[in-house]
């Protein structure tokens, strides 16, 4: 690929602090490209509504025009300016953002984005990084950013400004937030563009397992703990439908009867054990067991363990006659 960018004036590097936010805002409004830290990697950013600025990012990176760019906004409330969110559970966006996640959404008819941006793609990746500097600049610009990692396409991602020093000359300014602590993995991408389908796209690295913070909503058949940790699998499609918002209660005797009713109704609950939080259901209900497999995205060939209330109940599910007398009572709690 031929790089047609001309050498620019020497780039100025400033700290990524509030004192330099206004300078960055002016650069963005002038259709220039800046580089700044996010909560994952250093990125190149520009006004996503400026075709000239967007093309400049493609040239800096040597990136194919067919490779889409993500969008960065300052606040969750700005997402509706670029994408359709009406189909999402109430509170979902605020439970995920700000954070190291890119949500793929349908580009709405009223989107302020250039129609030529990501041409031929009817979805858009949206980020609200957990990084106050870039969010402040986005808010101040009055627009939304195109955002991509600060490196040549195919090269390793940048976790400090020196990693992409050879590209500084093509930026109006570089803002130094120091060494980013989370390694070279980008954000985890979750496709929420289709109603009822939740497709998780994994990049190699830190976020192969990450906390998606499903706090204020749940899926059908799912009663969730405040922070549900999912083992994300490549291209897994979640077909569970959304349920009513889940209620989280203390694991105390006062709420035991409610849990008993849920189990008897062939539902899944989540409770603490002496080791980890777990999903639980009536093991004699095939429907309930299948729900657990569906929630976890687990292969049906992977066995589940059985939990009983007392040692005397073990004989209801397993043979214990061959065991030494007293063994279960010595190890069973």
């Amino acid at each position: 690929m031929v790089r047609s960018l001309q050498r620019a004036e020497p780039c100025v590097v400033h700290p990524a602090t509030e004192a330099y936010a206004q300078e960055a805002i002016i650069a963005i409004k002038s259709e220039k490209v800046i580089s700044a830290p996010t909560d994952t990697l250093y990125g190149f950013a520009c006004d996503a509504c400026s075709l000239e600025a967007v093309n400049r990012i493609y040239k800096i990176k040597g990136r194919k025009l067919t490779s889409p760019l993500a969008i960065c906004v300052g606040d969750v409330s700005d997402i509706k300016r670029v994408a359709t969110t009406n189909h999402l559970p109430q509170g979902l966006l605020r439970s995920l953002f700000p954070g190291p996640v890119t949500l793929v959404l349908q580009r709405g008819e009223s989107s302020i984005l250039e129609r030529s941006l990501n041409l031929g793609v009817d979805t858009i990746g949206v980020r609200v990084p957990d990084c106050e500097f870039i969010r402040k600049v986005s808010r101040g610009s009055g627009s939304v950013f195109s955002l991509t990692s600060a490196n040549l396409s195919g090269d390793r991602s940048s976790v400090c400004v020196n990693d992409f020093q050879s590209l500084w000359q093509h930026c109006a300014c570089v803002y130094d937030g120091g060494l980013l602590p989370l390694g070279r993995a980008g954000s985890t991408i979750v496709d929420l563009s289709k109603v009822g389908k939740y497709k998780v796209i994994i990049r190699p690295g830190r976020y192969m397992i990450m906390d998606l913070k499903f706090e204020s909503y749940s899926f059908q058949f799912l009663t969730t703990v405040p922070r549900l940790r999912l083992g994300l699998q490549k291209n897994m499609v979640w077909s569970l439908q959304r349920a009513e918002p889940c209620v989280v209660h203390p694991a105390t005797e006062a709420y035991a009867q409610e849990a008993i009713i849920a189990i008897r109704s062939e539902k899944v609950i989540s409770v603490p054990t002496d080791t980890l939080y777990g999903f639980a259901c009536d093991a004699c209900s095939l429907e309930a067991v299948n729900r657990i497999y569906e929630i976890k995205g687990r292969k049906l060939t992977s066995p589940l363990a059985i939990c009983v209330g007392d040692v005397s109940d073990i004989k209801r599910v397993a043979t214990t006659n061959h065991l030494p007398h007293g063994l279960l009572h010595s190890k069973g709690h």
Side-chain angles (χ1 to χ4, degrees):
M1 179 177 291
V2 178
R3 308 285 302 287
S4 60
L5 285 173
Q6 298 179 358
R7 184 176 180 83
E9 293 299 314
C11 175
V12 178
V13 180
H14 291 305
T17 60
E18 185 175 357
Y20 292 99
Q22 188 58 39
E23 175 189 77
I25 290 168
I26 292 171
I28 292 291
K29 287 182 174 180
S30 301
E31 300 184 286
K32 295 179 180 178
V33 174
I34 65 169
S35 181
T38 71
D39 53 351
T40 53
L41 305 168
Y42 277 83
F44 292 132
C46 73
D47 185 348
C49 297
S50 166
L51 184 58
E52 180 181 346
V54 169
N55 285 338
R56 195 170 290 146
I57 281 186
Y58 276 103
K59 288 179 181 179
I60 292 171
K61 287 180 63 74
R63 184 180 179 121
K64 295 179 180 178
L65 292 173
T66 52
S67 298
L69 298 178
I71 298 300
C72 167
V73 297
D75 294 289
V76 170
S77 58
D78 295 321
I79 296 175
K80 62 187 178 184
R81 300 174 66 194
V82 298
T84 299
T85 62
N86 295 339
H87 65 296
L88 297 178
Q90 185 178 12
L92 171 60
L93 294 177
R94 293 190 185 280
S95 71
L96 291 174
F97 289 134
V101 180
T102 299
L103 293 187
V104 179
L105 301 167
Q106 286 289 334
R107 191 193 305 218
E109 288 297 322
S110 59
S111 174
I112 67 170
L113 297 174
E114 271 277 343
R115 301 310 299 177
S116 56
L117 178 68
N118 300 348
L119 196 62
V121 181
D122 59 3
T123 56
I124 196 77
V126 182
R127 289 214 62 203
V128 186
D130 191 9
C131 176
E132 188 54 35
F133 179 78
I134 195 144
R135 292 179 66 197
K136 186 176 183 65
V137 175
S138 180
R139 293 185 198 110
S141 73
S143 187
V144 297
F145 291 171
S146 284
L147 181 67
T148 184
S149 56
N151 60 335
L152 291 175
S153 286
D155 283 3
R156 70 176 188 171
S157 302
S158 299
V159 294
C160 68
V161 294
N162 289 334
D163 283 346
F164 61 99
Q165 188 170 1
S166 63
L167 302 177
W168 289 2
Q169 60 183 316
H170 303 302
C171 298
C173 292
V174 172
Y175 296 95
D176 188 352
L179 179 66
L180 303 183
L182 299 184
R184 298 185 188 275
S187 60
T188 295
I189 305 171
V190 183
D191 188 343
L192 299 178
S193 60
K194 296 180 180 178
V195 177
K197 297 287 185 180
Y198 299 82
K199 185 176 182 181
V200 180
I201 307 166
I202 301 303
R203 308 185 208 210
R206 178 178 177 85
Y207 298 106
M208 287 296 287
I209 297 179
M210 73 165 291
D211 185 355
L212 286 185
K213 297 191 292 189
F214 291 139
E215 293 174 335
S216 57
Y217 73 101
S218 66
F219 296 109
Q220 184 180 13
F221 312 139
L222 172 60
T223 300
T224 181
V225 292
R227 301 175 79 84
L228 169 64
R229 184 172 295 277
L230 294 180
L232 305 180
Q233 300 178 22
K234 189 173 183 180
N235 293 333
M236 179 185 292
V237 176
W238 293 84
S239 59
L240 295 171
Q241 296 177 1
R242 179 170 61 91
E244 292 304 310
C246 172
V247 178
V248 179
H249 292 306
T252 61
E253 185 175 357
Y255 292 98
Q257 188 59 37
E258 178 186 79
I260 291 169
I261 292 171
I263 292 291
R264 287 178 174 174
S265 301
E266 300 184 288
K267 295 181 180 179
V268 175
I269 65 172
S270 182
V271 291
T273 70
D274 54 349
T275 54
L276 304 169
Y277 275 86
F279 292 129
C281 73
D282 183 350
C284 297
S285 166
L286 182 60
E287 182 179 350
V289 170
N290 283 339
R291 284 170 187 162
I292 282 188
Y293 276 103
E294 190 174 4
I295 290 167
K296 289 179 63 71
R298 184 173 180 151
K299 293 180 180 178
L300 292 174
T301 52
S302 299
L304 298 178
I306 299 299
C307 170
V308 296
D310 293 291
V311 172
S312 58
D313 295 324
I314 296 177
K315 62 186 178 183
R316 298 175 62 192
V317 297
T319 299
T320 62
N321 295 338
H322 63 296
L323 298 178
H325 181 71
L327 173 62
L328 295 179
H329 280 279
S330 67
K331 302 292 184 182
H333 291 288

